[in-house]
Amino acid sequence: MLRQYELVDRVLAYDPSADEDLLNRAYVFSLQAHGSQLRASGDPYFSHPVEVAGILTDLKLDAETIATAILHDTIEDTVATPEQVTRLFGPKVARLVDGVTKLSKIEGAQTENERAAENLRKFLLAMSDDIRVLLVKLADRLHNMRTLHFIKSPDKRRRIARETMDIYAPLAERIGLYGFMDELQALAFQQLEPEGYDTIVKRLEALRAAGGGDMVARISGGIRDLLAGAGIDADVRGREKRPYSIWRKLQAHRIAFENLPDVIAFRVVVPNVSACYRALGVIHQRWQAVPGRFKDFVSTPKRNGYRSLHTTVMHDKTRIEIQIRTPEMDREAEFGLAAHWAYKEGGDAAGPAPRAYPWLKELLDAVDQAASPEEVLEHTRLAMFQDQVFAFTPKGELIQLPAGACPVDFAYAVHTELGDTCVGAKVNGRVVTLRTPLANGDQVEILRSKAQHPDPAWESFVVSVKARTAVRRFVRQQERAQLLSLGRKLYDETVGRLKLPLSEDAVDTALGRLKLADRNALYLALARQTVGDTALLEAVLPGSTANLKPRRRGRSGTKNAISITGLTPGVAYALADCCHPIPGDRIVGIGRAGRGIEVHSIDCARLADPDGDAGEWLDLHWGDETGGGTARVSAVVHNQPGSLAAMTAILAHHGANIVNLNLTDRDRAFHTYVVDIEVDDLAHLTNIIAALRATKAVVTVERVKA
Ligand code: MN
């Protein structure tokens, strides 16, 4: 374990102005906080944060990051509180420590498939407001992997290795930390594929023995001498390819190990870019190049910013891979962003900023222009996932949602049925409303009820397509259900007039005559008034309407069963379509040439219309034999399932036949229906309106007289 003064000296070696006192206090605080805790290795637990800090000194990180590394497990694993850390080490370090603590949430999260793994990686990036948080987390994982073999449970070792392979190694690659990536992959590979690892290591040993044992050193020396002879000062390092990269090549190309080309590779570091190309020329003159293996990542860097010249040549009978690069490219290849950051201050004569992912590029540009890179990094948010939010299920599954998502979105993202039945949510253990916006890292538990159904009001606050679509679909289904129920009532009422039992065959025949597919189609047609009751009766029993007791038809204003006194016998008349007079209303008649008498309610708006072609007014009265009339009412109901059914139930209960129903206006909260109903008289209608007004589902009811 690194001693206190060793760690401080390491930091001071690359940053003489580092806050020595901060490092010392962090060291002592963490030592005391972890107390007698032990690692699986039997070492004091405290050795872990100190080693993590040590790893980060290799990246030459600032004192705040090193202090964060020393403190990174104190909140999670000891009695230390965030308040204590803030008080003792200031808000900056406290925020970094808090960031690292939050990232530990994903440990144990599910990574069964690639999508889950990608979600977790995005989550880590989204949570790492400050890139230093991610660097500490990766160093933490690296040290845990180095000590993985001490963990006794094979299942646990495998889980951690899997997570490392799926989440942390790709993340290290994404931010350009290739040294970390290589080591994480190597350690995870060893755990996940022990046989494959052993086989490859043994083959490499055999190869080494066959090559005389010092093949790498001999070839390295040869390349160095060759370049020196051409006046190029080169640092040549040879290495065997890592077992994991050989394994991947074997898998990708389905080839046997014996046939695997170039298992040794050499890195040639020369002073500048022009020396790179000169060295390449010299090497190609001396050894035959393998066709198709030359790649120029200097003029065309990889998307992650990687730059180098790659070639493969035949050295005696061995294929060797050679990468040629400048010292700056070499550091970038090893440490990525961190390399750029660490060396920038040192007045290194390196070239332009490395090409990188666009978001990294942005970050690096900001660093370039800033007086103090630390300041920029501290205030730079990783903006890439700001339009998304990541939340966990109680089982630890990570759900990715659009920013602004609420528990309803979350529920639908998990499962449609969960969304349909959600009534509330607990976020991080606290009950919240369904419209509460979720924050990154929230743990969300959905409370559900079998009696619940999607609420049209949800549409005003859900943000995900899935939730919105589900709510709309449900509302449409509900409307259909209500229309079916209304249509069924109209059917029963109409066919009931025939007063004879109907066979299924008779109904099928009627459906055929009406050109309708099934009973539901008939109910919908009746509810929508595309099939009227006369048409229905004629379809069921042709000729039947002639034998039935004549009924008034409200809309057409036929004279049947209406008696009006005050008219000259034989004069044609019709009840007006505008005010729908019913017995009990005071009525007047207007004579119109060639069209008989129009009967209006005395307070009809049309009568007051000065532009109306007002003819002669006749004072009329309802006769004793009048059977009733058709009134029009306008009802505003709450936009919720069951409202229409509640309204029609009341009408049915009061014996009022619905002859027409229109949805005339709808918004989020309310639906407005205009209904024509057959009533006995004004008293009957007044009762019905009173009953409707007393219904919870109904907001207002008015009679329409114009
Ligand atoms: Mn740790």
Side-chain angles (χ1 to χ4, degrees):
M1 173 168 67
L2 275 175
R3 289 160 191 275
Q4 186 169 351
Y5 72 89
E6 287 172 327
L7 183 65
V8 173
D9 282 353
R10 278 210 207 178
V11 178
L12 289 176
Y14 60 79
D15 181 8
S17 67
D19 187 345
E20 206 175 324
D21 183 46
L22 172 69
L23 295 172
N24 283 321
R25 281 185 292 122
Y27 194 99
V28 173
F29 180 82
S30 179
L31 174 64
Q32 287 172 347
H34 287 293
S36 57
Q37 292 173 347
L38 295 179
R39 295 275 287 176
S41 61
D43 287 339
Y45 191 94
F46 178 61
S47 64
H48 163 68
V50 169
E51 292 299 331
V52 173
I55 290 170
L56 292 169
T57 60
D58 291 341
L59 301 184
K60 299 184 167 39
L61 292 174
D62 63 318
E64 282 172 9
T65 311
I66 303 301
T68 301
I70 301 171
L71 297 169
H72 82 269
D73 277 333
T74 54
I75 302 295
E76 188 86 347
D77 295 339
T78 80
V79 294
T81 63
E83 294 71 32
Q84 256 181 318
V85 173
T86 310
R87 189 157 39 80
L88 293 170
F89 304 101
K92 290 179 179 178
V93 171
R95 204 170 47 78
L96 291 172
V97 172
D98 180 55
V100 181
T101 305
K102 278 188 182 139
L103 295 196
S104 53
K105 281 192 181 198
I106 82 145
E107 259 140 53
Q110 298 171 3
T111 59
E112 269 115 53
N113 55 50
E114 177 51 31
R115 197 178 62 94
E118 177 61 15
N119 269 350
L120 288 168
R121 290 194 291 267
K122 285 183 188 166
F123 169 74
L124 286 176
L125 285 168
M127 288 294 284
S128 306
D129 294 354
D130 186 316
I131 188 100
R132 294 176 295 180
V133 169
L134 195 56
L135 295 175
V136 173
K137 189 68 208 168
L138 288 170
D140 174 42
R141 176 51 62 124
L142 182 56
H143 184 251
N144 284 337
M145 286 304 292
R146 285 178 183 171
T147 53
L148 185 66
H149 56 279
F150 289 117
I151 290 178
K152 291 207 173 56
S153 154
D155 282 353
K156 190 173 177 192
R157 284 201 306 268
R158 280 190 70 81
R159 181 183 66 71
I160 295 173
R162 185 81 262 158
E163 197 176 69
T164 300
M165 197 62 112
D166 292 344
I167 315 281
Y168 292 97
L171 268 182
E173 182 182 25
R174 198 175 286 190
I175 62 167
L177 224 49
Y178 304 105
F180 275 35
M181 178 194 75
D182 276 343
E183 192 176 347
L184 289 171
Q185 282 174 342
L187 292 164
F189 170 55
Q190 206 171 334
Q191 184 61 232
L192 294 170
E193 302 284 350
E195 283 176 25
Y197 178 82
D198 283 349
T199 310
I200 290 173
V201 168
K202 284 205 184 86
R203 297 280 185 161
L204 283 173
E205 276 166 9
L207 202 75
R208 229 172 277 144
D214 58 347
M215 194 162 63
V216 169
R218 273 191 291 112
I219 299 176
S220 295
I223 296 172
R224 197 178 302 113
D225 293 345
L226 177 72
L227 293 176
I232 303 167
D233 179 21
D235 175 18
V236 181
R237 280 164 289 166
R239 62 175 175 89
E240 283 167 0
K241 289 207 173 159
R242 290 173 176 79
Y244 179 64
S245 88
I246 292 173
W247 169 261
R248 275 214 301 210
K249 214 162 233 177
L250 291 175
Q251 287 201 316
H253 304 296
R254 299 181 178 283
I255 42 178
F257 186 85
E258 293 78 9
N259 302 328
L260 188 72
D262 43 309
V263 290
I264 43 180
F266 296 87
R267 187 170 299 165
V268 176
V269 179
V270 296
N272 52 51
V273 171
S274 78
C276 288
Y277 289 100
R278 277 190 288 127
L280 179 76
V282 172
I283 288 168
H284 279 178
Q285 271 176 18
R286 172 69 181 78
W287 295 292
Q288 192 200 340
V290 176
R293 295 298 303 265
F294 170 64
K295 294 198 181 74
D296 183 352
F297 296 120
V298 171
S299 62
T300 313
K302 284 194 191 177
R303 274 192 58 207
N304 61 11
Y306 175 87
R307 291 182 298 163
S308 273
L309 298 177
H310 286 196
T311 188
T312 302
V313 298
M314 293 303 296
H315 184 279
D316 295 335
K317 283 179 186 119
T318 312
R319 282 165 68 140
I320 59 170
E321 189 184 293
I322 299 177
Q323 299 170 352
I324 307 170
R325 49 175 77 148
T326 67
E328 188 212 4
M329 297 174 197
D330 193 41
R331 280 192 299 272
E332 283 168 20
E334 197 68 25
F335 296 122
L337 166 67
H340 182 79
W341 178 16
Y343 283 85
K344 200 67 199 166
E345 279 288 81
D348 188 87
R355 267 116 320 249
Y357 285 126
W359 62 272
L360 256 189
K361 175 90 169 69
E362 222 167 90
L363 193 58
L364 294 178
D365 285 349
V367 174
D368 266 349
Q369 287 151 22
S372 149
E374 285 81 359
E375 186 185 308
V376 173
L377 283 161
E378 184 191 319
H379 293 111
T380 303
R381 296 281 181 268
L382 295 180
M384 57 199 309
F385 295 120
Q386 272 180 359
D387 57 343
Q388 288 161 72
V389 61
F390 298 85
F392 290 92
T393 67
K395 283 183 186 160
E397 194 192 342
L398 189 62
I399 305 294
Q400 182 185 355
L401 298 161
C406 62
V408 176
D409 294 296
F410 182 90
Y412 275 108
V414 173
H415 198 281
T416 303
E417 205 196 321
L418 186 62
D420 285 347
T421 55
C422 69
V423 288
K426 276 188 186 173
V427 171
N428 304 324
R430 273 187 37 234
V431 174
V432 301
T433 67
L434 284 174
R435 62 194 311 156
T436 309
L438 298 176
N440 267 324
D442 277 349
Q443 194 193 58
V444 184
E445 182 188 347
I446 296 297
L447 310 173
R448 56 193 300 199
S449 156
K450 284 263 185 308
Q452 175 68 317
H453 45 67
D455 183 339
W458 290 351
E459 219 190 308
S460 66
F461 57 81
V462 298
V463 298
S464 60
V465 172
K466 192 170 178 195
R468 180 161 295 144
T469 312
V471 174
R472 284 186 185 157
R473 189 191 306 123
F474 180 81
V475 170
R476 271 202 308 275
Q477 279 170 359
Q478 280 303 106
E479 281 175 0
R480 183 182 149 87
Q482 290 185 37
L483 283 173
L484 282 174
S485 145
L486 174 64
R488 198 172 294 122
K489 283 195 179 91
L490 290 170
Y491 173 87
D492 290 344
E493 199 268 345
T494 305
V495 172
R497 283 187 230 150
L498 291 173
K499 297 210 174 8
L500 49 89
L502 278 185
S503 68
E504 280 300 310
D505 278 356
V507 177
D508 284 346
T509 308
L511 289 174
R513 287 187 180 125
L514 292 166
K515 297 187 168 55
L516 292 168
D518 54 23
R519 275 187 181 246
N520 280 349
L522 173 61
Y523 296 151
L524 290 175
L526 288 168
R528 293 183 175 128
Q529 294 283 304
T530 53
V531 169
D533 49 3
T534 309
L536 172 61
L537 290 172
E538 284 298 320
V540 169
L541 193 61
S544 59
T545 51
N547 305 325
L548 281 174
K549 190 184 168 213
R551 290 180 65 93
R552 287 163 286 100
R553 301 302 336 133
R555 282 169 68 79
S556 55
T558 54
K559 301 173 280 190
N560 293 333
I562 296 178
S563 84
I564 290 173
T565 58
L567 281 172
T568 313
V571 167
Y573 71 91
L575 299 178
D577 250 356
C578 43
C579 51
H580 301 273
I582 55 170
D585 286 332
R586 270 199 64 198
I587 46 175
V588 294
I590 304 173
R592 295 197 194 282
R595 283 195 285 159
I597 305 291
E598 250 176 33
V599 180
H600 287 267
S601 166
I602 188 76
D603 48 359
C604 175
R606 280 261 300 275
L607 296 179
D609 182 0
D611 296 331
D613 51 345
E616 186 193 355
W617 283 30
L618 299 169
D619 198 9
L620 302 178
H621 297 279
W622 297 95
D624 295 339
E625 284 150 51
T626 299
T630 302
R632 174 167 289 185
V633 295
S634 160
V636 178
V637 301
H638 288 292
N639 176 11
Q640 65 196 24
S643 287
L644 180 56
M647 187 168 79
T648 55
I650 293 209
L651 295 174
H653 177 74
H654 285 80
N657 185 33
I658 298 172
V659 294
N660 191 23
L661 178 122
N662 280 314
L663 179 59
T664 58
D665 190 32
R666 58 189 297 177
D667 61 24
R668 285 232 164 82
F670 305 112
H671 283 178
T672 304
Y673 290 97
V674 169
V675 196
D676 293 343
I677 46 176
E678 290 179 336
V679 293
D680 298 338
D681 53 23
L682 186 60
H684 187 200
L685 178 65
T686 308
N687 276 341
I688 290 169
I689 289 179
L692 286 173
R693 284 181 178 156
T695 309
K696 244 167 90 183
V698 178
V699 185
T700 61
V701 187
E702 299 299 334
R703 186 169 173 201
V704 181
K705 279 195 177 180

